[in-house]
Amino acid sequence: MTASRILVLNSGSSSVKYQLLDMTDRSRLAVGLVERIGEETSRLVHEPLTGPNPGKREQVAPIADHKAALEAVAAELAADGLGLDSPELAAVGHRVVHGGTRFTAPTVIDEEVLAEIRSLIPLAPLHNPANVTGIEVARALRPDLPQVAVFDTAFHATMPEYAARYAIDTATADAYSIRRYGFHGTSHAYVSRATAALLGKAPEEVNVIVLHLGNGASASAVRGGVCVDTSMGLTPLEGLVMGTRSGDLDPAVIFHLARVGGLSIDEIDALLNKKSGLLGLCGDNDMREVLRRAGEGDEAARTAFAAYVHRLKKYIGAYVAVLGRVDAVVFTAGVGENSAPVREAAVDGLAELGLALDSEANAVRSPEPRLVSAEYSRVAVAVVPTDEELEIAEQSYSLVTQ
Ligand code: AMP
């Protein structure tokens, strides 16, 4: 029997999301999450998609830390005959947010790699510590099993130097590893490839603008399968208007808030990352709520929606200029996949750039990759559901079986 299963782990600061996939047919065997780790009301939701006990199982009970969380997940998997001790498990694939300039491809984790991921914590203090913990705990549970790190930044490592550099003093930038790294890379990689397939072309043949619009949001310009620019930078704060993040702003806003407003650096960090974007503009970070309120004439919600769309359009225009020729603009993630009004507004008025929607096709809800552009649109407009877990599983599996 050849080992063909991959367990994908996405460890956050107080949560672990997981999926067990069988790479012979890319099917899901089980999915689930643990949330509110460290609280009294920790919650584990486990759903086997094969075997004798289908259906979601949920437990609410204190789970002290990531070790206890992974042990609880392992017990649930074992109850379905999918235990971590199975010889069919080929590897664990870990989502790791920041790979710095060191990691530009999926990497089998050893002590040295783990130490380097730890050393990148200052670049991603909110994310990499939890990723490291997830790796440590999984290694302790199955020391003999390959553990693979798949980095959110890796797909963007191909950005040319002039797109990756901020126009600041080079020595200072290099001393502090300040450059544009980009994030959501597994999603941009998966979706740009899937878009080429939707067009019946090889990735090398097409230029694609990917709009990953979730609670976090980023755009990328992908030329022939290679990322040449993306909207997030040193951290996921740069670029588009997001659920709670400001995206682009004049850096002097920070000096002003410190000097005139008397805010501390930590307060400004929290303001821009957690209380800005749609939430800052209108009090709601969920696009459904923003749209509902805007439909009722709420001025703040209307402004928030307009600001979100305005920024998105500016990036589409910028990436048309970066790519020169564009074959497709593709929407993905929670907002991009589900919100016809956002897609409609983002493409509205871009006929000069070759973009025109088919309103009827755009209004259809579907989990399938699909075209939503008008017949006559020079550039295809597509909706392609992202699948970061499948991408992590594919990259991990091909690394450990090559
Ligand atoms: P993600 O980060 O990809 O899971 O996306 C989560 C976001 O998707 C939520 O914050 C919602 O704002 C958004 N979302 C989900 N469904 C819809 C919908 N039908 N219309 C608009 N936004 C949606």
Side-chain angles (χ1 to χ4, degrees):
M1 186 194 332
T2 50
S4 61
R5 292 179 186 163
I6 301 285
L7 177 67
V8 176
L9 287 184
N10 182 352
S11 306
S13 57
S14 65
S15 69
V16 176
K17 292 188 202 138
Y18 62 93
Q19 293 196 1
L20 182 67
L21 293 96
D22 185 342
M23 299 316 290
T24 49
D25 59 1
R26 305 159 119 209
S27 63
R28 260 81 174 166
L29 303 175
V31 301
L33 89 159
V34 188
E35 55 187 4
R36 297 197 290 271
I37 295 171
E39 294 181 32
E40 285 300 306
T41 57
S42 313
R43 178 165 163 262
L44 191 163
V45 183
H46 176 79
E47 185 176 9
L49 301 166
T50 177
N53 318 307
K56 271 187 194 168
R57 302 199 290 269
E58 181 175 336
Q59 40 177 298
V60 178
I63 294 180
D65 52 25
H66 283 73
K67 180 165 181 290
L70 263 191
E71 281 167 356
V73 169
E76 289 293 339
L77 287 167
D80 296 316
L82 301 168
L84 295 193
D85 54 353
S86 164
E88 289 181 61
L89 195 58
V92 180
H94 295 267
R95 175 190 182 216
V96 179
V97 168
H98 217 305
T101 48
R102 162 72 175 79
F103 297 108
T104 58
T107 306
V108 175
I109 301 164
D110 57 17
E111 278 309 322
E112 188 207 327
V113 168
L114 190 52
E116 294 200 49
I117 296 173
R118 270 195 211 102
S119 77
L120 294 167
I121 285 176
L123 283 173
L126 300 177
H127 296 102
N128 271 31
N131 303 155
V132 167
T133 307
I135 293 167
E136 287 169 341
V137 173
R139 284 180 98 202
L141 282 179
R142 272 293 303 271
D144 56 314
L145 197 66
Q147 312 273 332
V148 178
V150 177
F151 299 90
D152 250 24
T153 46
F155 183 62
H156 306 300
T158 48
M159 275 194 287
E161 197 64 5
Y162 55 78
R165 285 234 173 241
Y166 292 107
I168 62 173
D169 171 63
T170 302
T172 308
D174 291 349
Y176 298 103
S177 306
I178 295 171
R179 60 190 284 116
R180 308 189 58 255
Y181 295 95
F183 298 88
H184 293 143
T186 36
S187 178
H188 287 280
Y190 175 85
V191 170
S192 56
R193 260 202 342 266
T195 304
L198 182 67
L199 299 178
K201 300 256 174 77
E204 299 74 36
E205 295 175 291
V206 293
N207 294 348
V208 183
I209 297 173
V210 181
L211 304 171
H212 176 111
L213 310 178
N215 198 29
S218 62
S220 68
V222 183
R223 175 181 290 131
V226 174
C227 179
V228 293
D229 204 355
T230 193
S231 59
M232 284 178 168
L234 175 74
T235 77
L237 184 55
E238 190 178 341
L240 300 173
V241 175
M242 312 183 207
T244 66
R245 295 186 203 126
S246 63
D248 296 335
L249 44 72
D250 181 345
V253 168
I254 296 162
F255 319 145
H256 189 77
L257 283 170
R259 290 187 190 124
V260 181
L263 273 69
S264 70
I265 287 296
D266 286 342
E267 286 169 334
I268 299 171
D269 190 330
L271 177 79
L272 298 180
N273 274 296
K274 298 191 176 139
K275 296 184 224 155
S276 295
L278 293 173
L279 181 71
L281 285 165
C282 76
D284 271 306
N285 69 309
D286 190 317
M287 183 56 86
R288 286 166 288 203
E289 206 42 32
V290 176
L291 281 163
R292 188 192 61 73
R293 284 174 48 198
E296 291 172 353
D298 182 305
E299 264 317 306
R302 285 189 165 195
T303 301
F305 181 76
Y308 184 97
V309 169
H310 179 67
R311 184 82 53 86
L312 198 50
K313 280 187 140 132
K314 292 210 292 193
Y315 270 92
I316 295 172
Y319 288 171
V320 170
V322 165
L323 290 171
R325 189 203 84 222
V326 180
D327 298 290
V329 172
V330 55
F331 290 85
T332 194
V335 177
E337 290 167 30
N338 296 303
S339 184
V342 167
R343 294 192 297 261
E344 180 104 47
V347 173
D348 184 47
L350 300 188
E352 282 292 317
L353 299 182
L355 293 160
L357 271 191
D358 176 329
S359 295
E360 262 175 49
N362 186 45
V364 174
R365 290 180 71 95
S366 160
E368 297 299 320
R370 60 201 185 273
L371 290 176
V372 294
S373 35
E375 288 269 309
Y376 61 86
S377 185
R378 188 158 43 78
V379 176
V381 183
V383 181
V384 173
T386 192
D387 196 338
E388 290 167 272
E389 290 79 14
L390 178 59
E391 180 69 20
I392 291 171
E394 298 253 31
Q395 293 193 15
S396 302
Y397 189 62
S398 64
L399 189 63
V400 297
T401 53
Q402 67 185 207

